[in-house]
Amino acid sequence: MRASVQTVPVPEPRTSTEDTGGLPTVHTHDLTAALDAARRGDETGFVTLYRALQPRLLRYATVLIGRESAEDATAEAWLHICRDLYRFTGDVDRFRGWTATIVHHRAMDLCRAAARRPPSAPAQDDERDDPQGVADTEASALEALSTELALELIATLPREQAQAVLLRAVVGLDAPSAGEVLGKRAGAVRVAAHRGLKRLARQVRYHPEEGRWTLV
């Protein structure tokens, strides 16, 4: 079982040109089935997990260390995930948190190795964000922004707020899971995400006649 998981090739994520929010839509029960299958060494289950989670993980890493380095970090992370998946225990939510933690650690390793700060303007991405897991009403201001613009805005936040917003609104983790990734209490993550989203909401304006958001 272990060997079959380790030899699973990392696939290319599927992309779509349709304006449907950009991120893969996979129901929780489908991901649960995929996770169970992947742990048994099934390649199709692993591919399903990768295509559902990779776009969000890549966006998180992109704001931390830039697009080129983010691709390296997530590639290394998925090798780690593939190698250790047979030992993972937990449901889909815990799996999301586990994968985000691995990506976070890889990104920080690359950041320290390069001895540089994250860029304030990530590379372009034609997809759009579909924020999940955040109850704050300010999150709605990000929903209709292009991915490029949304990530540029998030990258201008203080690091603690940017990471909290990314993990909750982009990766889709709940506060306890995001806290595990960052080594912080859930309450601290909620506060940082709320402050970050509130700050972002002041930087955009909705144009009802055009049905879109723009920078103030």
Side-chain angles (χ1 to χ4, degrees), residues 90-103:
D91 59 13
V92 171
D93 287 336
R94 290 199 64 82
F95 183 72
R96 287 192 181 100
W98 181 60
T99 56
T101 299
I102 294 172
V103 169

Side-chain angles (χ1 to χ4, degrees), residues 60-67 69-70 73 106-108 110-111 116 118-119:
Y60 175 62
T62 293
V63 173
L64 295 182
I65 56 176
R67 181 57 182 258
S69 295
R106 289 292 179 270
M108 292 300 96
L110 289 178
C111 191
R116 62 179 176 81

